[in-house]
Amino acid sequence: MDVSTLNMNNRCAFKTLSHQRYHLKSKPWVRSALWLALLASPMLHADDLADLIRTKNQSYAQAPAVQAPLSTAYLNTTHPSFYQNYAAAPNIDSDYIETLYRAEQVAAPASKQVLQVARQMALDNKEIIKGSCWDYLNAAFNRAGVARETVFKGAYQVGPFIDTNQIQPGDWLYYINHSYNDVEHSGLFVGWLNRANNQALILSYAGERRNEPARYKVYDVSHTYNVIRPSL
């Protein structure tokens, strides 16, 4: 076989591999094998290799970040009393206890006081407060002995709605409750569970004569239209 024939075969082989790479790029299970095959090929030109490396690096850079699930192992080991006190509580999922603990550690002093008082009301005493969600959080703020600062003001349904990056642990949120007929609701923000989707752990009091204590639940707080922050 002469040199021209060999070069033609090499070009055809690379064209075939490139054609496969184009049509199989949507199949993740094929990418790795094809990538290795191209790197191992003696006919791969340096410019083609550089192009493939750039493509590979871009695919890694554009891959969405995966949020690690919260673990109770750390909390159960380092602060077992906090975890064990509430692991069997009916009004908080045990997977969320670490989120609650972390919130109290990072919150500003006034917000920490509200978070702790609200936790005692809900988990330790399982208190029933006459009235609505507003009455419950009003009682928590009063017992914590803090002032109230309105840091964002909108209106139900029409907004404007806060940039959720501004929300902090201990904030009293007014938001559209997408999980319950899009009614207006308020709750105490604890921490993020799924930041990308605005899924937060909220201390929520149902009221409405249900005769049940407040619960730590997951809510979509995308449409938060009013925020009151504790202050000293």
Side-chain angles (χ1 to χ4, degrees):
M1 181 181 298
D2 58 27
V3 173
S4 61
T5 303
L6 179 59
N7 289 338
M8 178 63 72
N9 289 341
N10 285 346
R11 287 195 295 271
C12 291
F14 178 75
K15 185 176 181 181
T16 300
L17 285 173
S18 299
H19 180 76
Q20 291 172 342
R21 179 167 67 93
Y22 175 78
H23 286 285
L24 296 176
K25 66 187 296 184
S26 62
K27 299 180 179 180
W29 62 271
V30 178
R31 292 179 190 169
S32 297
L34 185 57
W35 170 253
L36 292 174
L38 287 171
L39 288 179
S41 174
M43 58 196 166
L44 190 61
H45 191 276
D47 291 338
D48 298 314
L49 177 60
D51 179 63
L52 286 175
I53 291 174
R54 282 193 297 271
T55 301
K56 194 69 174 177
N57 288 339
Q58 288 173 359
S59 67
Y60 283 135
Q62 295 170 359
V66 177
Q67 183 173 356
L70 290 174
S71 170
T72 60
Y74 170 79
L75 185 59
N76 201 16
T77 300
T78 58
H79 301 279
S81 60
F82 190 94
Y83 178 80
Q84 292 168 7
N85 282 347
Y86 307 122
N91 47 347
I92 186 171
D93 189 304
S94 60
D95 290 340
Y96 304 149
I97 296 175
E98 184 175 358
T99 302
L100 175 58
Y101 177 81
R102 288 178 177 177
E104 293 185 10
Q105 303 311 303
V106 302
S111 297
K112 182 176 182 177
Q113 290 178 206
V114 172
L115 287 166
Q116 290 177 334
V117 168
R119 167 171 55 83
Q120 293 165 0
M121 291 171 61
L123 300 182
D124 295 333
N125 303 331
K126 297 180 176 57
E127 292 186 42
I128 306 298
I129 300 294
K130 183 178 180 180
S132 65
C133 54
W134 185 93
D135 294 292
Y136 191 92
L137 290 181
N138 181 57
F141 271 61
N142 285 342
R143 294 186 192 184
V146 298
R148 310 173 192 198
E149 177 186 2
T150 299
V151 296
F152 188 86
K153 183 69 174 178
Y156 171 56
Q157 292 186 326
V158 297
F161 304 107
I162 193 172
D163 175 354
T164 54
N165 289 311
Q166 300 177 29
I167 298 174
Q168 299 178 12
D171 283 352
W172 182 348
L173 308 184
Y174 291 71
Y175 54 94
I176 298 176
N177 186 358
H178 295 303
S179 63
Y180 190 72
N181 301 322
D182 286 343
V183 300
E184 56 181 330
H185 188 45
S186 70
L188 187 68
F189 178 83
V190 179
W192 296 110
L193 295 177
N194 187 323
R195 184 66 192 83
N197 294 326
N198 290 317
Q199 299 285 321
L201 184 64
I202 299 288
L203 179 62
S204 170
Y205 188 67
E208 297 182 359
R209 300 178 181 177
R210 295 187 187 181
N211 199 39
E212 59 184 36
R215 300 180 62 88
Y216 289 90
K217 300 175 61 177
V218 183
Y219 285 93
D220 175 358
V221 295
S222 300
H223 295 97
T224 296
Y225 57 88
N226 197 19
V227 179
I228 297 175
R229 183 163 296 160
S231 62
L232 295 177

